[in-house]
Amino acid sequence: MDRTGEKRRYDRVLLKISGEALMGDQGYGLNPPTVQRIAAEVKSVHDLGVEICMVIGGGNIFRGLQGSAQGMERTTADYMGMLATVMNALAMQSSLEELGIHTRVISAIPMDQVCEPYIRRRAVRHLEKKRVCIFAAGTGNPYFTTDTAATLRANEMSCQAIFKGTKVDGVYDRDPKIDPEARRYAEVSYDEVLQKHLGVMDASAIALARDNDLPIIVFSLDEPGGFRGILAGEGTFTIVRDA
């Protein structure tokens, strides 16, 4: 039992959210009340004594693939997307620190004036000191998504699970927003996700999680208390792991 008296299933986790999750009802950019709401969800889990790291996408500001599709050189577009993730990470850091949570933004691209460079041992030490670590700028390389970066960092930090916060409460066989008959999986294997193109994460991220036996828990970030509830063994979600 942890200090709150509530059972905890994981001691160290990585939370992956998309940049779009920070938009709220806007079509672009950051919505401060939405950022604050997500920060409060993170705090509720941090209060359980769980060590938390995060990876946030940049699609609310710039998406490399979209830029490439519009004629921009792919490498340049991907670097622009990485910089967008740093902006999102700084916004989340600000909201978390307003709640009294010590937070470090750690970038794969050095920019010492605004965040720390990625050094694995230093990041692990931050987590041991109960600081939230937000990993920004992806892997620091073009052609890799933030999904892959999240899986890579989760393995490097020895996380016990990746929590993928989405707008739906798990993984479905079809889009539940389009098809009301869509069926939610309680559990699904890595290989089934790849074979059926279920869209949990990109193929590289799923393969990396599978090869390191790292479970992925997909849940609704819009459900108040959902993140904390899963840590206590409650709530609705899908877990991706070996069959």
Side-chain angles (χ1 to χ4, degrees):
M1 303 290 282
D2 64 274
R3 63 175 179 266
T4 67
E6 188 171 344
K7 186 177 180 181
R8 189 176 71 213
R9 301 179 70 197
Y10 301 98
D11 296 312
R12 181 180 293 173
V13 301
L14 185 140
L15 174 63
K16 167 64 171 69
I17 61 176
S18 66
E20 288 87 348
L22 305 183
M23 293 191 307
D25 294 329
Q26 302 173 170
Y28 178 83
L30 288 157
N31 179 249
T34 300
V35 178
Q36 291 160 7
R37 178 181 62 78
I38 295 172
E41 292 284 325
V42 173
K43 181 182 184 300
S44 72
V45 171
H46 184 271
D47 288 346
L48 294 175
V50 178
E51 297 170 2
I52 304 170
C53 43
M54 299 179 67
V55 170
I56 306 172
N60 57 318
I61 299 172
F62 188 87
R63 186 178 293 280
L65 276 172
Q66 280 184 341
S68 177
Q70 294 172 9
M72 186 176 291
E73 195 269 326
R74 173 65 188 272
T75 301
T76 299
D78 279 357
Y79 278 123
M80 292 174 68
M82 291 180 217
L83 296 178
T85 71
V86 177
M87 296 172 67
N88 286 337
L90 291 172
M92 183 59 65
Q93 178 187 43
S94 177
S95 287
L96 285 167
E97 292 194 333
E98 284 180 7
L99 297 173
I101 305 298
H102 295 296
T103 307
R104 297 291 185 271
V105 173
I106 301 173
S107 172
I109 299 174
M111 45 186 84
D112 295 345
Q113 287 83 356
V114 295
C115 50
E116 294 184 9
Y118 177 70
I119 300 171
R120 189 186 69 83
R121 286 180 178 271
R122 181 186 292 176
V124 169
R125 186 62 178 143
H126 285 321
L127 291 173
E128 291 171 348
K129 291 183 176 181
K130 305 303 180 184
R131 297 165 182 159
V132 172
C133 291
I134 307 177
F135 297 115
T139 66
N141 302 288
Y143 297 95
F144 289 94
T145 67
T146 51
D147 281 345
T148 301
T151 311
L152 174 65
R153 297 295 183 235
N155 280 303
E156 289 180 303
M157 294 299 107
S158 300
C159 291
Q160 295 163 314
I162 296 174
F163 281 72
K164 176 77 182 285
T166 70
K167 291 189 174 295
V168 293
D169 58 357
V171 179
Y172 285 77
D173 58 353
R174 299 181 295 279
D175 188 341
K177 294 180 180 178
I178 297 173
D179 187 349
E181 299 298 319
R183 181 174 64 89
R184 184 182 62 81
Y185 295 94
E187 184 172 329
V188 64
S189 70
Y190 304 109
D191 288 339
E192 193 171 359
V193 167
L194 293 173
Q195 291 164 5
K196 294 184 177 179
H197 305 286
L198 295 178
V200 177
M201 288 179 158
D202 66 64
S204 297
I206 294 294
L208 184 58
R210 178 192 61 196
D211 292 348
N212 292 277
D213 198 24
L214 179 67
I216 303 167
I217 296 168
V218 183
F219 72 105
S220 173
L221 201 61
D222 293 336
E223 182 68 29
F227 188 19
R228 182 186 177 109
I230 295 168
L231 269 293
E234 303 168 354
T236 304
F237 57 89
T238 297
I239 184 165
V240 182
R241 60 186 174 191
D242 272 330

